[in-house]
Structure formats: structure tokens, C-alpha cells
Amino acid sequence: MRTGSLTLATFGFESMATIALAVNLVTYFITDMHLEIAEAANSLTNYLGTGYILSIPVAILADTYLGRVKSVLISGFLEFLGLALLTVQAHYPKLRPAPCIVFDPNSHCEKLMGGNAAFLYFGLYMLALGTAGIKASLPAHGADQFDETDPNEVKQMSSYFNFLLMAVCLGSSVSLTFIVWIQDNKGWDWGFGIGTIALLLGLVIFVAGLPLFRIHVVKGSSAITEIIQVYVAAIRNRNLALPKDPSELYETNKDKEAAVETEFLPHRDVFRFLDKAAIQRTPAGQLEKPEAPNPWKLCRVTQVENAKILLGMVPVFCCTIIMTLCLAQLQTFSVQQGRTMDTRLTNSFNIPPASLPIVPLIFMIISAPVYDKIFVPFARNITGHPTGITHLQRVGVGLVLSCISMASAAIMEVKRKGVARDHNLLDAIPGVTPLPISTFWLSFQYFIFGIADLFTYIGLLEFFYSEAPKGLKSISTCFLWISMALGYYGSSILIDIVNSATKGITRSGGWLAGDNINRNHLDLFYGLLSILSFINFCIYLFVAKRYKYRPQNAPAASDEDSKTYSK
């Protein structure tokens, strides 16, 4: 846990550097780069989605060729470079459009274009690539510090994932308060610059821990390739009949492999079509088995079982995409809602709307250790499960809460627009003429979604890591990031679809079109998301009930230890 704590500190500083961008960049795009609200929201979600989707190739490189430590260092450098470029552009006026009040209908603001646009997006996607590498490698590297064959360290690894959330929350809290305030009041160059320094500190801490880390050994073979081989062999053998006795399927000799760290998994009676990859064309016992069979025609039972495990995780993964789609709205449209409202905390201090997510973060900072030290031991005594409740139960709670959060957001938007209508402020300029309603009303939707985060995202991260085959630990944790990427991309697509479908039935040209959020129909959009979330949860219940957990007799561990971990 001591070496794992260095990883937590690094992740915390990385969150401090980047979380402010996730909630406040849309304001930067609108006020400084002069993009429309929907265009700015899509630019942000596309950047965030890319940052998550790129974690896949980086994870493959980390597991197969580079190793997780090198991947963290290279990715950290790229992320540092991206932040530095954003800082430079924010500092020099020649690299941005001329200043203009975009919310004034009489102004004709110059849009971001040409070389300045190229500079922005180059820095932004350099940052996305670096962020992807950190997300792909750092959590798995921290989990590598725990021995899966030691029952005590298995419990500590569960605590590690809980405290990973707490580290992210602590870093995010500083980012959402101090750095967001700096961006809004002292300048975007100062905000980006402080984030760059925070990231540098995180990398220094990581480098300081290099002599202490248990480092993942790169074997140069791709577990992804082995999974692909199963599907290729299954297709090639599709016309062969499955044997009635699974013991007739091909597997290497355990005695011969005793001196080698080789994984052995028992056959499971699920996804039987993949078993065809392990069918021996020569009946067992009739002729001697070939010493080196073609892996694209014949695969081991263990190899097939690993493919089954990943395939079984896919439906769970798909059911979490909608939740990130909802999260994207809290990072874009909800921030713009807050900019129209009264942001006064005291008579002399205004809270930036992008800082509102601090409400659920404070709750998570308090509840994460309570969950780990009180709830988990209590639940463990009742259920006998090492983590208190199963990973899938934890995810399900979060999905329900995300549905409730969107319903709360819809109700709140009806109230906000009602205030604007009653006071004849539908065309008021955000930040200049605030509505007479406190921005803290938005904290309800943030608070509920924050609790959903506590359950779903860390539950997913631990679920994917614990269920995945040995050679796919980094890639497995990327399932979470891929889910989030698809959610952000889905947000961009859904916004465009909704605007196109409602273009002819609204004065604004669509539910979410134009620069005036008071004339939009964000309440209907939030209601739509709540309905989609409820349907998604119903599908998840069906998927989770049918999921079969990884076999309990996992390799490289005693039976008792394996049972403890595999649950």
C-alpha cells in the first residue's frame, strides 16, 4: 500500500491538472474562441471521448511492448506538452480571435479558424493522448503493487481502488475550486499554467517511486492476439462437432508446464461456440498430439476461457455508456445553466459555475473512507464477499442514481426557466444580468450523480481488473475509459440528432440550438436522458443476472486465495 500510495498521489495531481478542463473548457470555447453553445459542447465531448478511446492502443502497448511504467512516463510527457501549448495560446492574443461579447445579439464575433484553430486542437489532442496513456497504465500499475496470491494484499487492493476514487476527488476538488477560479478571474493562461505545474509534480512523485515499485514484466506477446486467435480458430472449425466430454478439448500438459508460470482455467459451459477453437481434429488418444499446433487453428482451453471472460464482460460494458452520456451534460449544459444564475456565495465572492461539482466531490471524499473502512467490513460479515457487495451490485446502484439525477436536472431546468420567464429575463446576458435564483439549486443534480460515481465507476474499474485475464490487466481497466469515450461521443451524436429532429418545431431551431440557453428546451432533453437511463438500467438487470464470474480456481494461487479474489 505504501508504493500504491505513490500511484494515488500521481493520479491525484493529474486530476488536479485536467478536471478543470472537463467542466470549464466549454466556457473557454464560447467566450474566448467564439463557438456556439452546442458546438462548444461537442468540441469538449469529442476531446474527452478521444482521451478515453485512445487508452485502448496505449493499453495494448503497455501490456505487450512498453510496460506500464514506460507508458506512464511517455504519456505524462505528452500530457505536459499539451497543457503547455494551451497555456501559450491562452497567453498570446495573436493566437486567439479578437475579444468580443458573444452573448450580445448585435455583435459579430470572429470565430476561431485557420492556424489558431490548428494550434488549439493540436495541443488539445496531444493532451488527450497523454491523458489516455495515464488512464490506461497508472491504475493498473498501482494494482500491480499487490500480490493476488496473498489474501491480505487482495483486500488491500480492493481498498486501493476505493482510495483511487478519493485521490481523484481530492485532486479534482482543488481543480474545481482553485484552478477554475483562477481561470475565470485571473486568466486562462494562469489556469492552464498552474495545471501544467500540478502535472509536473505528479510525474516527479512517480519517478521518485521507481526504485520501490513492483514493475510489470513485458513478455512481448499479445494477449489480445491470443483472443483473436480463438475467434479465428472457432470460425475455421465451425463445421466440426463439439465433443460431449469437455476433457477432449485441447489443453497443454500441466506437468510439463509446471516450471513455467502458465495460466490454467477450467472449462465452463458458456459461449460453447468458442469451444470449437479447442477441438482437436485427431481424436484424443488415437495419435500423439502435435508439439506445436498452429495457434490460428487450435487453441488451449484456457485461451478459449479467457476469450469467454472478455466476451461476457462486453454486455456489462455496454450498459454503462448511457451514464457517461448523462455525465457529459453536467460538464457542458449544466455549467451554462449556472452562468445565467446568481453565483454569489457571499456579498463579495461569486462561485464559478464550473465549481459546482465540488458538492458531490466533498461528499465522496468523506464517504470513500467510510465506505471502505465501515460499510465494506460490515457488509463482508453479512455476505461473506471480500468487497462487501459484488461489483455488479455496486454498478447497478450507480445506474439507478444517474437516472434520478437526470430527472432532478429536468425539474430544476423547468424551475430556472420559469424564473427567467416571470422576471422577463429570457434574453438576459449570462454573467451580466443574472437570474434571481441561486446557482446552488443545481447542486442537487450534481450531488446525486456524485453518489452514482462513487458506486459505478470505481466498481467498474475493480470489476474489469479482477475479472480480466493476466495479460490483459491494463486493457481491462480501459473498458471503463472506452465506455466513457463512447458516452462522450454519444453525447455529441445525440445532441445533433435532437437538434435535427426538433429543428422545425421550435423557435430556436432545435431543443439545444443557438447561444441563448433560456430559449432552449434543455428540460425536455434532460427528461429524455432520464427515460433512456431507466431503460438502460432495466437492460442492465437482465445482463447482470446472467453474468458468470471468473472461475474460482484462478492460476498462480492457492484454491483458498483464488476463491477470495475471484468473487
Side-chain angles (χ1 to χ4, degrees):
M1 183 60 83
R2 182 176 65 254
T3 51
S5 298
L6 297 176
T7 302
L8 297 178
T10 302
F11 214 47
F13 276 108
E14 194 272 344
S15 298
M16 185 189 304
T18 58
I19 292 299
L21 305 182
V23 297
N24 213 23
L25 259 185
V26 68
T27 301
Y28 179 63
F29 290 153
I30 294 172
T31 58
D32 287 54
M33 300 303 175
H34 306 160
L35 303 182
E36 291 186 357
I37 292 178
E39 188 181 4
N42 285 349
S43 295
L44 175 60
T45 53
N46 288 339
Y47 150 70
L48 294 172
T50 301
Y52 287 116
I53 206 72
L54 286 176
S55 63
I56 307 171
V58 175
I60 293 174
L61 289 173
D63 279 344
T64 308
Y65 300 109
L66 293 177
R68 290 165 197 146
V69 170
K70 288 183 180 178
S71 296
V72 171
L73 294 175
I74 294 173
S75 300
F77 171 76
L78 294 176
E79 192 171 3
F80 176 83
L81 180 60
L83 275 171
L85 291 176
L86 292 182
T87 304
V88 170
Q89 184 172 37
H91 183 71
Y92 292 101
K94 291 184 179 180
L95 298 177
R96 308 189 309 273
C100 179
I101 302 176
V102 294
F103 300 108
D104 185 352
N106 297 319
S107 63
H108 301 282
C109 300
E110 174 192 356
K111 275 196 172 185
L112 177 71
M113 59 179 60
N116 289 346
F119 193 98
L120 171 68
Y121 289 113
F122 179 78
L124 199 62
Y125 284 95
M126 181 71 71
L127 175 62
L129 178 59
T131 302
I134 295 293
K135 287 179 170 62
S137 307
L138 194 56
H141 169 72
D144 287 340
Q145 308 311 307
F146 302 91
D147 185 357
E148 296 181 33
T149 66
D150 186 318
N152 291 327
E153 291 198 30
V154 167
K155 293 179 182 178
Q156 288 182 347
M157 185 169 68
S158 179
S159 296
Y160 162 78
F161 280 108
N162 287 326
F163 283 107
L164 181 68
L165 174 65
M166 185 175 178
V168 171
C169 289
L170 287 171
S172 300
S173 298
V174 177
S175 189
L176 291 172
T177 52
F178 176 65
I179 294 183
V180 165
W181 187 86
I182 292 293
Q183 290 171 346
D184 288 353
N185 294 276
K186 298 300 181 181
W188 287 94
D189 50 349
W190 279 94
F192 291 144
I194 292 174
T196 306
I197 295 172
L199 179 62
L200 181 61
L201 288 175
L203 292 175
V204 169
I205 291 174
F206 184 82
V207 171
L210 290 179
L212 305 175
F213 289 140
R214 288 173 176 167
I215 297 179
H216 163 65
V217 178
V218 180
K219 297 183 179 179
S221 62
S222 175
I224 282 290
T225 302
E226 293 183 357
I227 300 299
I228 296 173
Q229 288 171 345
V230 171
Y231 285 94
V232 172
I235 293 173
R236 284 185 167 185
N237 298 343
R238 64 188 179 278
N239 295 324
L240 299 181
L242 287 170
K244 294 182 179 179
D245 186 359
S247 64
E248 296 180 18
L249 297 173
Y250 173 71
E251 181 59 277
T252 56
N253 191 307
K254 292 186 179 182
D255 295 331
K256 290 183 179 180
E257 302 290 342
V260 184
E261 188 180 354
T262 302
E263 186 178 32
F264 288 95
L265 293 176
H267 176 269
R268 293 187 301 163
D269 195 23
V270 295
F271 302 123
R272 289 300 308 274
F273 64 93
L274 291 179
D275 286 341
K276 293 194 174 185
I279 295 178
Q280 303 176 85
R281 294 178 181 270
T282 301
Q286 193 175 86
L287 292 174
E288 186 177 350
K289 297 176 184 178
E291 288 296 326
N294 185 342
W296 297 96
K297 294 182 179 179
L298 181 63
C299 302
R300 298 171 53 209
V301 168
T302 295
Q303 194 175 339
V304 172
E305 290 304 312
N306 281 333
K308 290 180 180 180
I309 291 171
L310 278 189
L311 184 60
M313 292 163 65
V314 169
V316 176
F317 153 80
C318 291
C319 288
T320 60
I321 295 174
I322 289 291
M323 182 170 174
T324 302
L325 195 153
C326 296
L327 172 63
Q329 314 319 314
L330 299 185
Q331 296 174 325
T332 53
F333 291 111
S334 290
V335 174
Q336 297 313 304
Q337 285 177 283
R339 296 187 75 248
T340 69
M341 303 168 76
D342 185 358
T343 60
R344 287 180 299 174
L345 186 61
T346 65
N347 291 332
S348 58
F349 180 78
N350 290 10
I351 182 172
S355 295
L356 282 176
I358 191 65
V359 174
L361 285 181
I362 292 174
F363 171 79
M364 285 190 283
I365 291 172
I366 297 172
S367 60
V370 172
Y371 180 90
D372 185 74
K373 300 301 181 183
I374 298 178
F375 175 78
V376 171
F378 175 77
R380 185 186 295 144
N381 291 333
I382 298 174
T383 64
H385 196 280
T387 57
I389 59 176
T390 67
H391 307 314
L392 294 182
Q393 289 171 341
R394 186 170 179 174
V395 171
V397 172
L399 294 182
V400 171
L401 291 174
S402 70
C403 173
I404 297 174
S405 175
M406 288 298 99
S408 171
I411 295 172
M412 189 58 245
E413 176 61 2
V414 171
K415 179 178 178 64
R416 189 194 68 82
K417 285 183 64 176
V419 171
R421 189 181 303 107
D422 293 342
H423 291 80
N424 197 27
L425 293 173
L426 287 175
D427 295 314
I429 298 177
V432 177
T433 309
L435 303 180
I437 178 175
S438 174
T439 191
F440 282 98
W441 279 100
L442 299 177
S443 62
F444 288 104
Q445 60 210 52
Y446 280 107
F447 177 76
I448 298 171
F449 205 93
I451 304 174
D453 270 353
L454 176 65
F455 281 90
T456 296
Y457 288 133
I458 297 303
L460 278 174
L461 199 61
E462 189 173 0
F463 168 73
F464 290 141
Y465 185 89
S466 61
E467 289 292 295
K470 277 186 173 182
L472 295 174
K473 295 300 186 183
S474 290
I475 297 172
S476 68
T477 57
C478 284
F479 269 42
L480 170 59
W481 314 127
I482 299 168
S483 167
M484 298 187 74
L486 295 178
Y488 283 120
Y489 286 138
S491 174
S492 298
I493 295 171
L494 183 62
I495 289 172
D496 290 338
I497 291 174
V498 166
N499 277 339
S500 297
T502 59
K503 185 176 182 180
I505 60 175
T506 57
R507 292 183 180 179
S508 60
W511 279 4
L512 307 170
D515 293 321
N516 189 345
I517 198 171
N518 294 331
R519 296 287 184 180
N520 287 345
H521 297 274
L522 190 57
D523 51 340
L524 299 179
F525 183 61
Y526 282 150
L528 174 64
L529 289 178
S530 182
I531 294 172
L532 291 177
S533 297
F534 178 75
I535 295 172
N536 177 70
F537 173 69
C538 294
I539 297 172
Y540 175 79
L541 287 180
F542 175 78
V543 168
K545 186 175 181 180
R546 292 173 59 88
Y547 182 80
K548 295 183 182 297
Y549 280 87
R550 182 180 177 86
Q552 294 186 349
N553 57 338
S558 67
D559 289 341
E560 181 180 353
D561 295 349
S562 300
K563 289 178 181 179
T564 300
Y565 180 64
S566 64
K567 289 179 182 179

